[in-house]
Amino acid sequence: MSDRYCVFGHPVGHSRSPRIHALFAEQCGQAMSYEAIEAPREDFAGAWQAFVAAGGCGANVTVPFKEEGYRVADVLSQRARRAGAVNTLIHGRDGRTYADTTDGVGLVRDLEAHGVTLDDARILVLGAGGAVRGVLDPLLAAGPRALHIANRTAEKAVSLAADFHPQERGQHQARVTGSGYDALEGSFDVVINGTSASLGGELPPLPETLLAAEGVAYDMMYAADPTVFLQWASARGARTIDGLGMLVEQAAESFFLWRHVRPDTAPVRDTLRREL
């Protein structure tokens, strides 16, 4: 019998995780199954316990259950503790639930795979929700010169920045600051959109000088066509990258935590791109 894994969400039918992990399992010769399970909004803990009772070994957790996943965990990784949410659960041999978050690792690895230098970079992150909180620690671990968080509600950005400042990184300390969109000043080497607004055709009021020369614009969302944010950045000379690679890279880290085998993400990313 193969080991059972799943992704929990509500809704979850659109998830590409079963496809990604099927490709990983085939590539790495792993005897495992992976399915999508729509858990009831009011009883995520019950859904996880039922899955484990039926032989489940681990799970990914997507919206709206990342904070619920945090709460069912017996043991949290340091990065999960910092993020306040998880996307990966492991049923340990000791019967305890171990939890981690791989979103930030996935983002950083995808940026590195595209040759983006984060060390000593000026980074701007748009948004101050859970998706952004989950990636800040790995971004800061990459050693940027400064990281600024901008959000429609300035207070949320300032509060989130305070949670992650100061950060000692080798020979220098990254400045972590926050503001509303209307207070954005200067230019940035890397601008990361951590909101889903651009998928709906919305764009925050961004200054024309936002991107430095040869700057990179990254959208954590992805679609068959470039998002509004990436269209805006491309028109201003930026190099643009969408979040498909982040999706694959965070999945690869979850796969490694479960199976102790690290898959080659490049062919899987190429396959998903063709299937968009």
Side-chain angles (χ1 to χ4, degrees):
M1 288 183 63
S2 62
D3 294 335
R4 288 186 65 199
Y5 298 88
C6 75
V7 56
F8 287 109
H10 191 108
V12 78
H14 65 285
S15 174
R16 304 192 70 81
S17 292
R19 174 64 170 150
I20 294 170
H21 285 282
L23 291 168
F24 286 163
E26 179 182 11
Q27 179 194 112
C28 299
Q30 297 291 298
M32 57 181 282
S33 65
Y34 188 107
E35 61 192 297
I37 296 178
E38 186 162 311
R41 281 183 174 271
E42 66 282 357
D43 191 22
F44 172 79
W48 166 244
Q49 290 160 6
F51 181 68
V52 168
C57 299
N60 284 129
V61 185
T62 188
V63 291
F65 297 124
K66 290 189 177 186
E67 292 180 354
E68 282 84 348
Y70 184 97
R71 287 192 283 271
V72 303
D74 298 306
V75 182
L76 290 160
S77 71
Q78 182 178 347
R79 58 192 181 191
R81 217 175 291 118
R82 290 278 286 165
V86 306
N87 76 337
T88 305
L89 297 176
I90 305 163
H91 177 57
R93 291 182 180 179
D94 59 2
R96 293 192 294 176
T97 296
Y98 293 78
D100 205 341
T101 181
T102 67
D103 288 330
V105 172
L107 170 61
V108 170
R109 285 196 182 140
D110 191 37
L111 285 163
E112 290 173 345
H114 282 90
V116 178
T117 300
L118 298 176
D119 184 44
D120 203 36
R122 296 159 298 174
I123 299 175
L124 170 65
V125 183
L126 306 176
V132 168
R133 174 176 281 276
V135 303
L136 290 180
D137 222 30
L139 279 173
L140 289 165
R145 184 190 319 172
L147 188 148
H148 187 79
I149 303 162
N151 190 57
R152 286 192 190 280
T153 306
E155 291 78 8
K156 284 188 69 176
V158 171
S159 175
L160 184 55
D163 287 346
F164 284 83
H165 183 81
Q167 294 288 326
E168 295 290 346
R169 294 291 177 252
Q171 295 180 341
H172 68 273
Q173 186 182 73
R175 291 186 301 109
V176 186
T177 52
S179 75
Y181 292 129
D182 57 351
L184 276 173
E185 295 180 343
S187 59
F188 297 86
D189 304 303
V190 181
V191 179
I192 299 168
N193 181 25
T195 77
S196 58
S198 70
L199 281 180
E202 297 179 28
L203 193 68
L206 302 175
E208 293 293 319
T209 57
L210 189 68
L211 285 148
E214 301 181 355
V216 174
Y218 190 101
D219 200 324
M220 288 166 63
M221 300 293 112
Y222 70 93
D225 298 313
T227 64
V228 168
F229 169 69
L230 293 184
Q231 291 175 41
W232 178 89
S234 180
R236 284 150 185 83
R239 180 182 172 205
T240 60
I241 307 168
D242 72 9
L244 182 65
M246 175 183 171
L247 175 70
V248 175
E249 294 292 345
Q250 63 82 23
E253 181 70 5
S254 294
F255 188 90
F256 176 76
L257 292 172
W258 295 326
R259 311 301 296 178
H260 310 294
V261 178
R262 194 170 294 285
D264 182 2
T265 54
V268 175
R269 186 169 55 243
D270 291 345
T271 296
L272 262 65
R273 181 71 65 189
R274 289 194 299 270
E275 293 174 354
L276 276 182

